[in-house]
């Protein structure tokens, strides 16, 4: 690092004055922003600041992508690391929000603001593996796994963009998110307090933690609360009041970590972690999606609770051949309550006007997911040019589901009628797998990383109250492979090529459960579904020197046997009693996705200004039974660009970040059964202007703050049909303290 001095240059001042003079929809806001930037730059004149010779994010060491310690720079896979500094500079509303600016990653909340999920490279959230400390969270729904983790207890987040089923298990077709929780602090006793205010939801979040290390024992106990009201959005297409009904939610979180270091070389570590997260959220429905005869659609999710207990052991540098050993095991339960009400007002030919037909379908699902399992991994170095890992993994994933459906009909000739049905299903997916990977330094500056994993999957419907189904078991075996080539022969540059396969078993919902939630029409489970598979090819380059950090990736992915719902009129697997208007899950779709992802930043010499850009160009073609389309609800262009400044003023580190988030419009095509034609909906492109700043309030960094001024131009926008309309002009203020 080199210490440099920075003054307000004439061209910087001229640029700021030019901003003041330009026409702007919200001139007072622009004027205040420009004046703030001028004062900030002027105050930094002759103040020591720091320019980096290398880019820290490419130097980050991670085990994601290879399950061995390697820097992002030299990783054969497409990986991103969100470290503690980045986490603390963002208002910790959700883990998903922390990953919004990772290229290829999109947020999905499927109408429920409190249950954010993630898509990677256009793949649905159900095809992305979510891990906490390397252990999977499962979710048997068509939506995918929500990330319900209190961000204040998270140390870092590692992301693999693209298939990773060889190393991280079935379901990793789109990618992997590994959330690593905090251990104890270095002090014997440390107290941490924090809070955030969100004007866009009139919400708040607060958390507290007690942590430390005493001799060989480290510990952390923490808790958090969060409450949000309906979000504020610009008046227009989605609301006439400025508030989006059905977007409130609240959550609370408890966390315990106990760790113990032992051994003569202090190279053995065991840990116990316990977590509890509880969520209640409302749901918003886009009125434009209410097709005849549906006139109202409501969802409530009053309970989404997760409890987990995990055990971990790590042995490091154990010997010249057996290098490392990792063992973990966990038990986890997820309790869910889902309520859905669909109101239909059909027109009946020949019926006198005095009659006003109405059908209300009320569905409930009260279920529990139970997981237990673990992983054993051993790292070997049989030869100086080879580093080999071998491991086994087991996961028992069970679902106890109790569902009800009530249909009430009124306004027809004759008395009102009501029908009611109940059902109970108890099912399991048990997965046992073994994996191996070898890193071979076969020539100077070349490394070849190859891996394979064999899955044995057993699905079982243990009990069902449905007389038309039969309890029983199915099993399947499958092998997936991966290969990566890394070349580091060019100074400060890494070139790479990567091939990976993805594999995902159908969910227990898709296999065994019949449900009327979401449509008002019954959808049958199908025990004969095949797994979904994918193959991905990547080439990439990374550069890290002279203040420039660059990571660019080109990828092509082909996925087959996608599971979708089809009408029973064309689905041979439907029960004999099924009607043509009902649905069943089937392997009927496929997808081809290709694109380019870019992360780049450059610290301007002689300054502490760092322009940057993170973005993706993505093309995704969906192949259905009836048609093929590129209108896949995925933006062709998306990303963030801006300029960041970091300095030390009077011994206090401070930072500012002026940036734009933007995305091209999206289109979504679907097949309309009634008209036997393609229907296409669209959303416009959008861009938001944002400004964030923060820093330390004490010289030792024990107290920090961060302020985010979001969507300064009050843009009305919606990123995709899977995400709620964005919050309008708002501010988020976060304060943290340690003592």
């Amino acid at each position: 690092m080199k210490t440099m001095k920075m003054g307000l240059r004439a061209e910087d001042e001229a640029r700021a004055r030019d901003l003041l003079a330009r026409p702007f929809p919200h001139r007072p806001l622009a004027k205040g922003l420009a004046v703030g930037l001028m004062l900030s730059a002027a105050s930094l004149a002759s103040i020591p600041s720091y320019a980096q010779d290398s880019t820290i994010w490419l130097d980050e060491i991670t085990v994601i992508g290879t399950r061995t310690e390697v820097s992002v720079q030299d990783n054969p896979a497409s990986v991103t690391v969100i470290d503690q500094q980045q986490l603390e500079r963002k208002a910790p509303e959700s883990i998903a929000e922390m990953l919004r600016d990772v290229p290829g990653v999109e947020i999905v909340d499927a109408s429920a603001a409190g249950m954010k999920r993630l898509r990677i490279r256009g793949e649905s959230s159900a095809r992305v593996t979510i891990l906490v400390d390397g252990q999977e969270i499962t979710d048997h729904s068509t939506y995918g796994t929500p990330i319900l983790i209190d961000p204040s207890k998270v140390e870092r987040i590692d992301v693999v963009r693209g298939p990773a089923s060889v190393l991280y298990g079935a379901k990793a077709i789109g990618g992997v998110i590994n959330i690593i929780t905090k251990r104890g602090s270095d002090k014997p006793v440390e107290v941490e307090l924090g809070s955030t205010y969100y004007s866009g939801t009139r919400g708040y979040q607060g958390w507290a933690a007690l942590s430390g290390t005493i001799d060989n024992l480290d510990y952390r106990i923490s808790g958090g609360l969060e409450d949000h009201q309906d979000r504020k959005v610009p008046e227009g297409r989605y609301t006439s009041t400025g508030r989006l009904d059905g977007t409130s939610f609240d959550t609370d979180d408890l966390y315990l970590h106990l760790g113990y270091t032992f051994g003569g070389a202090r190279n053995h570590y065991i840990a116990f972690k316990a977590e509890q997260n509880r969520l209640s959220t409302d749901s918003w429905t886009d009125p434009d999606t209410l097709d005849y005869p549906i006139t109202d659609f409501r969802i409530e999710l009053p309970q989404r609770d997760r409890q987990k207990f995990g055990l971990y052991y790590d042995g490091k540098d154990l010997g010249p051949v057996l290098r490392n050993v990792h063992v973990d095991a966990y038990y986890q339960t997820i309790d869910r309550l889902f309520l859905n009400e669909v109101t239909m007002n059909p027109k009946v030919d020949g019926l006198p006007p005095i009659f006003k037909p109405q059908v209300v379908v009320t569905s409930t699902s009260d279920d529990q997911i139970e997981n237990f399992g673990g992983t054993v991994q051993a790292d070997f170095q049989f030869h100086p040019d080879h580093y080999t890992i071998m491991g086994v993994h087991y996961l028992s994933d069970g679902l106890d589901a109790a569902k009800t459906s009530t249909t009430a009909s009124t306004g027809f000739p004759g008395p009102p009628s009501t029908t009611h049905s109940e059902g109970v299903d108890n099912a399991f997916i048990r997965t046992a797998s073994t994996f191996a990977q070898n890193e071979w330094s076969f020539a100077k500056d070349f490394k070849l990383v190859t891996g394979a994993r064999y899955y044995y999957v057993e699905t079982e419907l243990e009990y069902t109250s449905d007389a038309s189904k039969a309890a029983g078991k199915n099993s399947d075996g499958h092998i997936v492979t991966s290969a990566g080539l890394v070349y580091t022969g060019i100074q400060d540059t890494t070139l790479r090529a990567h091939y990976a396969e993805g594999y995902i078993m159908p969910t227990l919902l898709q296999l065994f459960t019949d449900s009327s939630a979401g449509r008002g029409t019954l959808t049958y489970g199908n025990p004969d579904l095949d797994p979904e598979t994918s193959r991905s090819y990547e080439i990439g380059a990374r550069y890290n020197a002279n203040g420039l950090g660059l990571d660019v990736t080109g990828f092509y992915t082909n996925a087959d046997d996608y599971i979708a719902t089809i009408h029973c009129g064309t689905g041979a697997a439907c029960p004999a009693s099924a009607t043509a208007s009902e649905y069943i899950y089937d392997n009927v779709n496929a997808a081809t996705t290709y694109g380019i992802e870019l992360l780049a930043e450059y610290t301007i010499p002689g300054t502490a200004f760092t322009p940057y850009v993170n973005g993706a160009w993505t093309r995704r073609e969906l192949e259905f039974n009836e048609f093929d389309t590129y209108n896949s609800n995925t933006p062709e262009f998306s990303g963030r660009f801006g300029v960041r400044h970091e300095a030390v003023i009077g011994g206090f580190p401070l930072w500012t970040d002026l940036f734009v988030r933007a995305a091209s419009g999206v289109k979504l095509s679907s097949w309309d059964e009634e008209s036997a034609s393609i229907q296409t909906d669209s959303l416009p492109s959008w861009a938001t202007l944002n400004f964030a700043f923060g820093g330390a309030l004490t010289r030792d960094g024990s107290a920090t703050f961060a302020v985010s001024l979001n969507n300064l131009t009050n843009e009305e926008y919606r990123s995709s049909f899977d995400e709620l309309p964005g919050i309008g002009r708002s501010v988020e203020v976060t304060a943290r303290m340690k003592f």
Side-chain angles (χ1 to χ4, degrees):
M1 295 228 179
K2 297 179 181 179
T3 302
M4 299 185 178
K5 292 191 175 182
M6 186 214 118
L8 180 62
R9 299 180 302 177
E11 56 263 41
D12 295 327
E13 185 174 355
R15 204 172 287 123
R17 295 187 188 281
D18 179 61
L19 178 59
L20 282 172
R22 291 181 182 178
F24 200 72
H26 301 276
R27 181 173 171 77
L29 185 62
K31 185 174 181 179
L33 180 59
V35 169
L37 291 174
M38 289 179 64
L39 292 175
S40 175
S43 68
L44 295 174
S46 302
I47 299 296
S49 58
Y50 301 92
Q52 297 173 350
D53 293 328
S54 63
T55 307
I56 294 175
W57 54 272
L58 285 170
D59 294 330
E60 287 278 0
I61 302 298
T62 177
V63 299
I64 202 80
T66 62
R67 294 190 78 104
T68 61
E69 293 185 351
V70 63
S71 68
V72 172
Q73 169 90 6
D74 297 330
N75 207 299
S78 295
V79 299
T80 302
V81 175
I82 309 297
D83 62 18
Q84 184 63 201
Q85 183 187 70
Q86 292 171 284
L87 292 173
E88 291 188 358
R89 290 186 177 185
K90 300 178 181 179
E93 187 262 314
S94 72
I95 292 296
E97 287 293 338
M98 303 293 185
L99 301 175
R100 180 180 288 277
D101 298 315
V102 175
V105 173
E106 299 171 75
I107 291 181
V108 174
D109 46 32
S111 80
M115 297 184 67
K116 289 185 171 63
R117 300 166 168 89
L118 292 172
R119 293 193 308 197
I120 299 180
R121 293 181 177 174
E123 295 290 1
S124 74
S125 301
R127 301 181 179 101
V128 174
T129 295
I130 306 298
L131 308 174
V132 178
D133 297 313
Q135 298 168 334
E136 185 178 352
I137 303 176
T138 67
D139 186 90
H140 295 282
S141 73
T142 56
Y143 299 112
T145 303
I147 308 179
L148 304 179
I149 308 292
D150 181 2
S152 68
K153 72 184 182 189
V154 174
E155 181 67 30
R156 58 187 279 158
I157 308 170
D158 293 349
V159 182
V160 176
R161 310 188 309 273
S165 292
V166 167
L167 295 181
Y168 291 99
K171 200 163 73 176
I173 280 184
V176 177
I177 310 291
N178 188 24
I179 302 161
I180 301 165
T181 57
K182 292 179 179 178
R183 298 182 178 184
S185 66
D186 294 333
K187 300 177 181 179
V189 177
E190 182 174 84
V191 176
E192 179 181 347
L193 301 173
S195 64
T196 301
Y197 170 71
Y198 308 85
S199 73
T201 59
R202 293 173 292 184
Y204 69 88
Q205 183 181 44
W207 66 93
L210 175 68
S211 67
T213 299
I214 302 174
D215 295 328
N216 292 340
L217 175 69
D218 70 286
Y219 65 93
R220 183 178 179 87
I221 304 169
S222 68
L225 294 170
E226 187 171 2
D227 185 85
H228 294 266
Q229 304 306 309
D230 288 342
R231 64 172 54 186
K232 181 178 72 173
V233 300
E235 296 179 15
R237 175 175 177 176
Y238 302 108
T239 178
S240 59
T241 65
R243 290 285 171 180
L244 202 63
D245 294 338
T247 54
S248 63
F249 66 95
D250 61 83
T251 182
D252 60 73
D253 189 277
L254 294 173
Y255 172 67
L256 169 67
H257 163 89
L258 296 172
Y260 185 75
T261 303
F262 62 99
R266 297 179 59 84
N267 59 339
H268 297 270
Y269 185 77
I270 58 173
F272 169 77
K273 294 177 184 284
E275 300 175 62
Q276 175 181 280
N277 184 281
R278 301 185 301 181
L279 167 76
S280 175
T281 181
D282 290 336
S283 180
W284 173 77
T285 299
D286 184 354
D288 292 342
T289 63
L290 299 181
D291 297 328
Y292 173 82
I294 297 175
T295 55
D296 193 21
F297 183 93
R298 300 180 186 275
I299 290 178
E300 294 181 27
L301 300 104
Q303 181 185 30
R304 208 331 180 142
D305 302 343
R306 184 178 72 92
Q307 300 83 31
K308 177 190 167 187
F309 303 94
L311 290 171
Y312 309 82
Y313 163 76
D314 283 285
K316 301 288 188 181
D317 301 320
L318 301 178
V321 177
L322 178 60
R323 303 294 298 149
N324 305 315
V325 171
H326 169 84
V327 180
D328 70 67
Y330 75 110
Y331 175 80
Q332 178 175 256
T333 58
I334 299 171
D335 296 283
R336 308 181 301 183
L337 181 59
F338 175 90
L339 310 174
N340 178 213
E341 184 177 274
V342 182
T343 302
M344 294 173 279
N345 293 92
K347 298 176 182 178
V348 180
D349 293 338
L351 202 62
I354 192 174
F355 293 103
K356 300 184 183 301
Q358 183 178 81
V359 179
V360 179
V361 180
T362 304
S363 306
T364 70
S365 178
D366 187 358
D367 58 49
Q368 182 183 73
I369 299 171
E370 182 182 51
N371 307 139
F372 62 86
T375 301
V376 178
Q377 177 183 320
D379 298 8
F380 299 93
Q381 191 144 23
F382 299 111
H383 185 276
D385 295 336
H386 291 266
Y387 194 91
T388 305
I389 66 172
M390 299 179 184
V392 295
H393 173 77
Y394 176 78
L395 175 62
S396 175
D397 186 8
L399 175 66
D400 252 328
K403 298 183 182 294
T404 69
S405 180
T406 301
T407 302
S409 300
T410 59
F412 293 91
S417 65
T418 300
T419 60
H420 181 77
S421 64
E422 298 181 359
V424 176
D425 293 313
N426 181 224
F428 292 90
I429 296 179
R430 301 181 180 93
T431 306
S433 60
T434 179
F435 60 89
Q437 178 183 267
N438 183 64
E439 299 179 9
W440 178 24
S441 301
F442 64 91
K444 179 178 171 54
D445 302 320
F446 282 94
K447 180 180 288 187
L448 178 65
V449 183
T450 56
R453 188 179 193 119
Y454 174 74
Y455 292 92
Y456 178 78
V457 183
E458 182 180 81
T459 60
E460 178 183 6
L461 180 59
E462 188 174 68
Y463 171 80
T464 179
S465 59
D466 189 343
S468 66
K469 298 180 182 178
K473 296 181 180 180
N474 290 318
S475 61
D476 180 63
H478 194 83
I479 295 177
V480 293
T481 61
S482 66
L485 180 65
V486 176
Y487 174 68
T488 55
I490 303 173
Q491 185 176 0
D492 304 317
T493 302
T494 300
L495 304 178
R496 65 183 186 90
H498 193 243
Y499 168 78
E501 296 175 346
Y503 170 81
I504 175 172
M505 281 294 296
T507 68
L508 292 171
L509 172 73
Q510 294 166 335
L511 287 167
F512 301 121
T513 303
D514 301 341
S515 174
S516 57
R519 294 180 188 271
T521 304
L522 194 63
T523 299
Y524 293 96
N526 183 355
D528 297 321
L529 290 171
D530 294 325
E532 299 179 347
T533 60
S534 71
R535 294 155 303 285
S536 180
Y537 308 85
E538 296 179 359
I539 56 172
R542 300 184 179 108
Y543 178 82
N544 185 14
N546 304 314
L548 174 63
L550 177 67
D551 186 353
V552 59
T553 299
F555 68 91
Y556 176 90
T557 302
N558 181 260
D560 294 317
D561 293 323
Y562 270 14
I563 297 170
T565 56
I566 62 173
H567 273 102
C568 283
T570 56
C574 285
S577 59
T579 65
S581 63
E582 294 176 330
Y583 294 82
I584 191 168
Y585 292 104
D586 204 356
N587 297 98
V588 293
N589 299 340
T592 299
T593 311
Y594 55 89
I596 298 173
E597 297 165 346
L598 171 68
L599 296 94
E601 64 177 48
Y602 177 62
T603 300
I604 301 172
T607 79
F609 287 100
T610 303
Y612 64 88
V613 59
N614 305 331
W617 170 70
T618 307
R619 293 285 285 161
R620 181 168 172 83
E621 183 183 23
L622 299 179
E623 303 170 29
F624 301 106
N625 264 358
E626 301 88 355
F627 68 103
D628 299 343
T629 182
Y630 279 96
N631 298 332
S632 58
N633 198 28
T634 300
E636 186 171 352
F637 296 96
S638 61
R640 165 176 170 164
F641 61 91
V643 59
R644 187 173 63 247
H645 183 277
E646 307 201 27
V648 178
I649 302 178
F652 295 87
L654 298 172
W655 58 271
T656 59
D657 191 358
L658 178 66
F659 62 95
V660 172
R661 282 195 182 103
S664 58
V666 300
K667 293 183 178 181
L668 177 62
S669 292
S670 58
W671 184 257
D672 183 74
E673 292 285 348
E674 186 174 344
S675 63
S677 63
I678 301 171
Q679 303 293 319
T680 300
D681 297 310
S682 63
L683 294 171
S685 58
W686 59 272
T688 63
L689 176 65
N690 311 270
F691 181 59
F693 62 94
L697 297 171
T698 56
R699 293 180 184 275
D700 62 357
S702 59
T704 62
F705 75 99
V707 179
S708 298
L709 306 176
N710 304 316
N711 195 2
L712 293 172
T713 58
N714 206 33
E715 174 89 356
E716 182 186 54
Y717 72 98
R718 191 175 179 191
S719 300
S720 74
F721 289 101
D722 289 334
E723 186 174 1
L724 291 165
I727 294 175
R729 186 186 300 116
S730 61
V731 61
E732 298 168 351
V733 181
T734 300
R736 301 171 184 264
M737 180 178 294
K738 297 179 182 179
F739 53 90

